[in-house]
């Protein structure tokens, strides 16, 4: 972990998130020499995580594989004993989402009533009403948000798809969320991050938001912050909304790289309408 932290220039919050996830889910491997770690030992641990939180299982598996890959690079292991995630496995991990309107309403009411830090609460609301990925949300600085124009520009380097031809991802903010965000910024009195960590040091982590869903809201295996992307896509398509606008809002490709960047800019007004409808 320390090597990747230096090599990839992780933030302190992200490094802490990685260490905590390994400690929480893989502690039983700590006493073993790396040469004794086998897939058969890892599988029950990963299966337990998957039953509780499919999205977290994917990340824990990736982190464990990265550790074992490093052991291979250093000559300690011949091969990585843990298989890569299969495509079918990834598709299954993304499926859980509460899609019925009474169920979604119950989640929103429970979250509203919960005792949680302001950074986590804000990230939950932005995930709900913009359908962006939680890992792209939590590091957002106020400088990325134009609260006069009602847009949030996420740097391409932070997006899942990083090809520069796509340009930065401009997210239209729906009216009621925009009004809330203006209040948040006034309350922060010059703070750097839109989703501050408790105590004001840095921003909240994606793990903190995901844990809020798993534990506080008791949604493990049913709904995660990522599930709001499925909610938007499903509800909007069922309502006959513009499919290209939906894909652009989710930062999915709709043609060549150049076409995608161009179409995203051209569809901003339609995406504003989509987000106002979704809110």
């Amino acid at each position: 972990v320390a090597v990747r932290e230096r090599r990839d220039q992780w933030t302190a919050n992200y490094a802490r998130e990685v260490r905590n996830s390994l400690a929480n889910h893989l502690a039983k491997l700590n006493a073993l020499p790396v040469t004794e770690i086998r897939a058969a030992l890892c599988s029950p641990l990963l299966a337990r995580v998957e039953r509780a939180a499919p999205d977290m299982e994917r990340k824990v598996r990736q982190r464990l594989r990265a550790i074992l890959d490093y052991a291979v690079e250093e000559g300690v292991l011949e091969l990585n004993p843990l298989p890569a995630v299969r495509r079918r496995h990834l598709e299954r991990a993304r499926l859980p989402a509460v899609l019925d309107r009474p169920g979604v309403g119950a989640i929103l009411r429970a979250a509203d009533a919960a005792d949680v830090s302001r950074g986590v609460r804000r990230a939950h609301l932005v995930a709900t009403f913009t359908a962006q990925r939680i890992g792209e949300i939590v590091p957002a600085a106020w400088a990325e948000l134009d609260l006069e124009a009602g847009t949030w520009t996420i740097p391409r380097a932070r997006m899942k798809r990083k090809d520069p031809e796509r340009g930065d991802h401009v997210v239209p903010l729906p009216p009621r969320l925009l009004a809330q965000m203006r209040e948040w910024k006034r309350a922060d009195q010059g703070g750097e991050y839109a989703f501050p960590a408790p105590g004001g040091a840095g921003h909240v982590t994606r793990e903190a938001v995901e844990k809020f869903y798993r534990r506080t809201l008791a949604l493990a295996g049913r709904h995660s912050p990522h599930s709001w992307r499925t909610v938007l896509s499903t509800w909007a398509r069922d309502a006959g909304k513009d499919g290209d606008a939906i894909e652009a809002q989710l930062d999915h490709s709709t043609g060549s790289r150049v076409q995608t960047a161009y179409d995203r800019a051209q569809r901003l007004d339609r995406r504003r309408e989509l987000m106002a409808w979704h809110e």
Side-chain angles (χ1 to χ4, degrees):
V1 173
V3 172
R4 286 290 302 276
E5 181 180 358
R6 290 192 303 271
R7 184 193 314 172
D8 297 344
Q9 298 182 323
W10 289 351
T11 65
N13 282 332
Y14 183 68
R16 183 164 55 252
E17 174 189 331
V18 171
R19 289 190 172 90
N20 286 344
S21 71
L22 294 174
N24 290 338
H25 303 298
L26 299 177
K28 290 187 176 181
L29 300 180
N30 287 348
L32 294 177
V34 70
T35 52
E36 294 183 14
I37 294 178
R38 299 287 185 271
L41 294 174
C42 302
S43 292
L45 302 179
L46 295 171
R48 188 176 302 119
V49 180
E50 184 180 21
R51 286 193 295 272
D55 288 338
M56 177 54 64
E57 189 275 345
R58 175 175 53 83
K59 288 183 286 188
V60 172
R61 177 184 287 267
Q62 289 173 341
R63 290 163 184 170
L64 178 55
R65 275 188 55 82
I67 292 170
L68 297 171
D69 281 342
Y70 179 70
V72 173
E73 292 172 7
E74 293 295 300
V76 178
L77 294 176
E78 289 291 328
L79 296 170
N80 189 325
L82 187 63
V85 181
R86 299 182 299 277
R87 178 175 296 276
R88 184 177 175 187
H89 176 91
L90 276 172
E91 291 173 351
R92 184 171 65 250
R94 283 197 292 263
L95 284 177
V98 173
L99 294 173
D100 63 287
R101 293 181 185 276
V104 166
I107 292 172
L108 296 181
R109 288 190 295 274
D112 186 57
D115 182 14
V116 65
S117 75
R118 59 177 173 156
V120 169
R121 184 181 303 281
R122 291 177 182 181
H124 149 72
L125 289 170
V126 171
T128 301
F129 295 112
T130 70
Q132 302 308 297
R133 299 176 182 90
I134 197 65
E136 297 157 1
I137 291 172
V138 291
W142 281 118
E144 299 172 11
L145 290 136
D146 185 339
L147 299 184
E148 292 301 317
T151 57
W152 168 29
T153 302
I154 308 176
R156 177 53 52 187
R158 198 161 76 236
M159 300 299 294
K160 180 178 180 180
R161 300 178 184 275
K162 303 186 186 302
D163 38 313
E165 294 89 347
R166 297 169 71 87
D168 293 340
H169 184 44
V170 180
V171 179
L173 300 169
R176 282 178 290 184
L177 178 63
L178 177 59
Q180 288 186 73
M181 296 185 84
R182 287 171 176 158
E183 292 295 326
W184 298 346
K185 187 174 184 181
R186 280 193 286 270
D188 285 359
Q189 299 181 341
E192 179 181 2
Y193 293 104
F195 309 100
H203 56 78
V204 294
T205 64
R206 61 183 297 168
E207 166 61 14
V209 184
E210 289 167 347
K211 187 181 295 184
F212 171 59
Y213 276 66
R214 291 196 309 270
R215 298 186 181 178
T216 306
L217 301 181
L219 292 170
R222 296 197 299 125
H223 199 90
S224 72
H226 193 84
S227 301
W228 296 115
R229 295 170 63 80
T230 303
V231 172
L232 169 64
S233 181
T234 302
W235 285 11
R237 292 181 190 284
D238 286 350
K241 298 299 180 181
D242 184 338
D244 288 341
I246 297 167
E247 293 303 298
Q249 181 68 12
L250 298 174
D251 196 44
H252 291 164
S253 297
T254 55
S256 70
R257 290 178 177 180
V258 174
Q259 286 174 320
T260 298
Y262 175 80
D263 289 346
R264 183 179 293 105
Q266 294 298 307
R267 293 180 179 130
L268 187 57
D269 286 342
R270 281 183 281 170
R271 290 167 57 211
R272 286 187 192 279
E273 294 174 4
L274 174 67
M275 288 295 93
W277 169 83
H278 184 59
E279 189 179 51

